Amino acid sequence: MLEYRTQGFNGYSIKYSPFFDSRLAVASSANFGLVGNGRLFILGLTPNGIVAEKWFDTQDSLFDLTWSESNENQLLAASGDGSIKLFDINLSQFPVQSWQEHAREVFAVHWNLIAKDSFLSSSWDGTVKIWDPNASASLTTLPTHSCTYSAAFSPHSPSILSCVSSDSHLRIFDLRTPASASNHLTMNIPIHTPPKPRMGAAAPVGVPPTEALTHDWNKYRDTIIATAGVDRLIRTFDIRMPTAGPIAILPGHEYAVRRITWSPHLSDILLSASYDMTARVWTDGSAMGVGDIKQQNMVGNDPMVLGGGREMGRMGRHTEFVTGVDWCLFGAEGWCATTGWDERVLVWDCRAIMA
């Protein structure tokens, strides 16, 4: 396990470069993001450990980042002052571009993985915005009417994106639809709807809605999305069946789940980062086959058990909230990185903790 200390700055998000297996970026904030500056770290993995290749200081906290899909040296950072900043690691200490349209903190940025000529942002101001990095103003604003913690383009379509918000809904937008048709909104899925019971079984008891903090698209199954948040549960949904409720529920975390990400190598594996100071690796049970999943039932009508998934291991080396996690796209299928409020970056192999 490799370690780096983000001295004086608490980590919020970490991302591997899509171009180099030895480069990481970390978005961080002083004073836990409550007040003060931010710092964007560019880290290199070397034979001598993790070293800081460069960093950029900002006047406000940084909560998220995303690497450019078209320029190996550029990346975006989401700021607490409502701005989005584009940095080039080969240029000066200042951003090469900045956009300021959001009225409150920007909590997520994500580059379009397919079109590569656009990115999105989501904010506490209740909007998701679509941007062209070469334009001075946003292209489209999508209202969510609630604090939106996480937004992402589908890795399977350049026109489809999703977000989760404080109102406990998963929203799907399709930019190909007419703008007048609900502002491109095509699905609005209540995350806390209980799953439908098997024939002859009692209806499961629902749980009160709580804030959804994170979500991610499955990299292999284009209709599967995982969500998580304050209620500590990871849920997976099939957007072909938006009214059916979750197809899998994964309990185990002791506090809110701050971030989840599906494996880029295996279709049933995902990682989570939580305020319980752990990062955990899970299977959603789909590797058993569709027929086996359908045979799974809720044990004793407990809504906490569904889908045949399970926790496969946990990493408990952090000593504060774990707020960021990402997979390495290259090489062996288990390498990942985490960051948290303990001012630490850890790079580790999840295969070493899997039962």
Side-chain angles (χ1 to χ4, degrees), residues 259-342:
R259 208 171 295 263
I260 53 176
T261 176
W262 286 99
S263 169
H265 307 286
L266 301 169
S267 65
D268 67 313
I269 300 295
L270 67 160
L271 273 170
S272 60
S274 170
Y275 290 160
D276 66 11
M277 297 184 281
T278 68
R280 309 193 188 198
V281 58
W282 310 79
T283 174
D284 69 347
S286 61
M288 297 185 302
V290 175
D292 295 326
I293 292 177
K294 289 182 177 178
Q295 294 172 9
Q296 297 291 326
N297 191 20
M298 292 175 294
V299 178
N301 291 325
D302 184 353
M304 303 299 103
V305 181
L306 177 72
R310 63 183 177 89
E311 179 184 326
M312 302 183 72
R314 70 184 67 178
M315 190 279 290
R317 294 281 294 275
H318 283 284
T319 56
E320 255 292 356
F321 295 166
V322 188
T323 50
V325 61
D326 195 32
W327 294 92
C328 181
L329 298 174
F330 305 93
E333 62 195 26
W335 283 98
C336 59
T338 51
T339 189
W341 280 15
D342 56 1

Side-chain angles (χ1 to χ4, degrees), residues 7-161:
Q7 185 73 39
F9 291 86
N10 311 105
Y12 261 92
S13 180
I14 190 166
K15 297 288 171 61
Y16 273 95
S17 166
F19 297 96
F20 304 104
D21 62 355
S22 60
R23 180 170 286 169
L24 287 163
V26 180
S28 64
S29 304
N31 305 310
F32 306 100
L34 300 176
V35 65
N37 300 337
R39 179 171 287 180
L40 179 64
F41 289 88
I42 311 299
L43 305 178
L45 307 181
T46 75
N48 297 319
I50 305 176
V51 299
E53 297 178 348
K54 193 166 187 174
W55 62 76
F56 299 94
D57 287 323
T58 57
Q59 292 184 342
D60 210 316
S61 302
L62 298 181
F63 295 130
D64 197 19
L65 70 103
T66 183
W67 286 94
S68 168
E69 291 291 324
S70 58
N71 188 323
E72 64 192 33
N73 295 312
Q74 294 186 347
L75 66 168
L76 293 161
S79 179
D81 63 5
S83 69
I84 304 157
K85 301 182 188 301
L86 178 68
F87 294 93
D88 190 308
I89 62 178
N90 286 333
L91 299 178
S92 66
Q93 294 293 326
F94 304 100
V96 296
Q97 177 66 286
S98 182
W99 299 269
Q100 181 95 43
E101 289 188 17
H102 284 294
R104 294 198 61 191
E105 293 89 337
V106 182
F107 231 61
V109 284
H110 189 253
W111 210 283
N112 195 318
L113 300 175
I114 298 178
K116 302 184 187 297
D117 59 355
S118 62
F119 66 89
L120 61 73
S121 60
S122 69
S123 168
W124 289 7
D125 66 6
T127 65
V128 176
K129 290 180 179 286
I130 312 299
W131 308 82
D132 181 334
N134 298 311
S136 59
S138 62
L139 305 177
T140 307
T141 297
L142 307 171
T144 64
H145 308 294
S146 59
C147 178
T148 304
Y149 292 103
S150 174
F153 279 104
S154 166
H156 310 282
S157 169
S159 304
I160 296 176
L161 60 132

